């Protein structure tokens, strides 16, 4: 009998390669369509309390889970299942777009075009670019590359390995909802609480896998480990701190400090012990994220294959009736 984990593993690999080749589509991206639908639903479900936000989040994510299950059931045969998994994987991954945007930011900073760099920053993070000089833009971009290495690539492909197409879709939906409503501002502190907490849960293990992949892909694994252990827990996010601290240690730079958002100023803890990052460090971070993304894909494909091998071994050891 053909094992269902084989098309899952092949689909994850093909979806990753598709993202490497084509990155995100510029128009009509399914994630953007989900965001539009979520915003439309929010106009009906919004109340300034946690139960309303939990219901809003659950309705959207249960819908995505049902869609994923339906897609897997409709796909008949290993080729169809592989293609469905590949399409879903390509849809949810954002690692290549992240790396390309980071490289574009580094290029703009290297030619001292601060105005153009400020225009690009919203593509990476939600900070106020008008408050940042060249060094601040380099730090903001590098921190975003580090955090989103986990959020945009490692976490979704790991959830794909564990739970197939439903895992891919639900993870990307949860991460998108966190970006939309998981904010500490007057509108979303209560309504977005469930989305933010669920995103934290889904990212807990992937963030730590990201840290391990950074160590494996870095020329400074011991420094990445020291920064992770010493500084990650200081970060306000239980997951972003792991990715940012390990990147800081691997690159030999210092992250953290004053962080200006549209509605608030945060004083972030220091991560790492080196100098503040410059554009050349951002370019090195882009190279590191590409290596981490490739390594995480190997891990995810391996997990799918391990599941297949384990089921075969169990079948061989089971007594025949």
């Amino acid at each position: 009998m053909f094992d269902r984990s084989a098309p899952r593993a092949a689909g994850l690999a093909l979806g990753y390669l598709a993202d490497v080749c084509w990155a995100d589509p510029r128009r009509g991206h399914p994630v953007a369509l989900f965001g539009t639908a979520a915003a439309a639903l929010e106009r009906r479900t919004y109340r300034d309390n946690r139960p309303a936000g939990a219901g809003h989040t659950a309705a959207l994510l249960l819908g995505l889970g049902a869609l994923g299950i339906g897609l897997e059931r409709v796909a008949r045969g290993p080729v169809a299942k592989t293609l469905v998994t590949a399409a879903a994987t390509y849809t949810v991954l954002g690692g290549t777009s992240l790396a390309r945007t980071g490289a574009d930011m580094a290029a703009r900073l290297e030619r001292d075009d601060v105005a153009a760099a400020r225009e690009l920053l919203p593509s990476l993070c939600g900070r106020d670019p008008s408050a940042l000089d060249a060094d601040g833009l380099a730090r903001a971009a590098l921190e975003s590359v580090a955090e989103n290495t986990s959020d945009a690539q490692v976490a979704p492909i790991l959830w794909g390995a564990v739970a197939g197409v439903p895992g891919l879709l639900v993870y990307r939906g949860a991460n998108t909802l966190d970006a939309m409503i998981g904010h500490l501002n007057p509108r979303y502190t209560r309504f977005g609480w469930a989305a933010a907490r669920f995103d934290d849960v889904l990212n807990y293990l992937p963030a730590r896998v990201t840290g391990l992949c950074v160590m494996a892909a870095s020329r400074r694994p011991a420094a990445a480990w020291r920064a992770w252990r010493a500084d990650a827990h200081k970060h306000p996010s239980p997951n972003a701190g792991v990715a940012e601290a390990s990147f800081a240690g691997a690159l030999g730079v210092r992250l953290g400090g004053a962080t200006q958002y549209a509605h608030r100023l945060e004083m972030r803890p220091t991560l790492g012990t080196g100098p503040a990052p410059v554009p050349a460090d951002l370019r090195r971070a882009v190279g590191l994220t590409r290596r981490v993304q490739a390594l995480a894909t190997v891990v995810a494909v391996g997990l799918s294959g391990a599941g297949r091998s384990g089921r075969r071994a169990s079948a061989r050891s089971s007594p025949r009736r």
Side-chain angles (χ1 to χ4, degrees):
M1 181 180 295
F2 191 86
D3 196 298
R4 66 182 180 180
S5 65
R8 179 180 296 180
L12 292 172
L14 287 174
Y16 164 74
L17 292 175
D19 182 64
V20 169
C21 292
W22 299 307
D24 291 331
R26 294 183 179 274
R27 295 181 181 179
H29 197 298
V31 174
L33 296 177
F34 170 77
T36 300
L41 180 64
E42 182 186 329
R43 289 193 287 271
R44 295 178 175 272
T45 60
Y46 179 82
R47 303 290 187 277
D48 188 17
N49 59 62
R50 288 183 177 181
H56 174 81
T57 300
L60 288 164
L61 297 186
L62 287 172
L64 286 177
L67 174 61
I69 292 171
L71 288 172
E72 288 195 331
R73 287 180 176 175
V74 167
R76 301 297 180 92
V79 173
K81 291 180 182 298
T82 296
L83 293 177
V84 166
T85 302
T89 303
Y90 171 60
T91 295
V92 306
L93 295 185
T96 297
S97 291
L98 173 68
R100 290 180 180 178
T101 306
D104 189 5
M105 175 66 80
R108 296 182 188 200
L109 292 172
E110 285 167 349
R111 62 175 183 262
D112 295 323
D113 194 346
V114 174
R118 286 173 175 160
E119 290 179 0
L120 184 61
L121 187 66
S123 299
L124 284 168
C125 62
R127 301 183 195 182
D128 181 5
S130 66
L132 299 175
D133 59 11
D135 290 343
L137 290 164
R139 190 201 112 202
L142 200 156
E143 289 174 352
S144 180
V145 166
E147 178 181 0
N148 285 293
T149 296
S150 180
D151 290 0
Q153 188 79 17
V154 178
I157 206 161
L158 287 179
W159 278 110
V162 171
V165 174
L168 290 163
L169 299 187
V170 170
Y171 173 79
R172 179 50 63 207
N175 192 246
T176 302
L177 285 176
D178 179 56
M180 294 178 67
I181 65 175
H183 304 296
L184 294 175
N185 61 33
R187 178 174 175 85
Y188 290 126
T189 296
R190 287 175 285 274
F191 184 78
W193 178 86
R197 297 291 77 77
F198 189 59
D199 182 72
D200 285 343
V201 170
L202 292 184
N203 278 295
Y204 187 84
L205 287 177
R208 281 135 188 93
V209 172
T210 300
L212 293 174
C213 289
V214 169
M215 292 172 57
S218 167
R219 296 179 180 87
R220 294 163 46 93
W225 171 250
R226 285 195 298 270
W228 174 1
R229 297 297 298 168
D231 299 328
H233 67 279
K234 303 174 186 175
H235 197 283
S237 166
N239 302 318
V242 174
E244 292 183 24
S246 58
F247 261 73
L251 298 170
V253 298
R254 182 183 71 254
L255 302 178
T259 303
Q260 180 66 58
Y261 292 93
H263 302 290
R264 70 187 189 281
L265 174 66
E266 291 185 7
M267 294 304 298
R268 292 285 179 87
T270 298
L271 308 176
T273 58
V278 297
D281 297 315
L282 176 56
R283 194 168 290 283
R284 291 194 297 127
V286 170
L288 180 56
T289 189
R290 291 187 186 277
R291 296 193 298 274
V292 169
Q293 291 172 28
L295 182 56
T297 302
V298 172
V299 171
V301 171
L303 283 174
S304 297
R308 176 178 59 191
S309 300
R311 283 189 290 273
R312 285 179 175 175
S314 176
R316 285 196 299 268
S317 64
S318 298
R320 295 185 177 183
R321 296 180 182 274

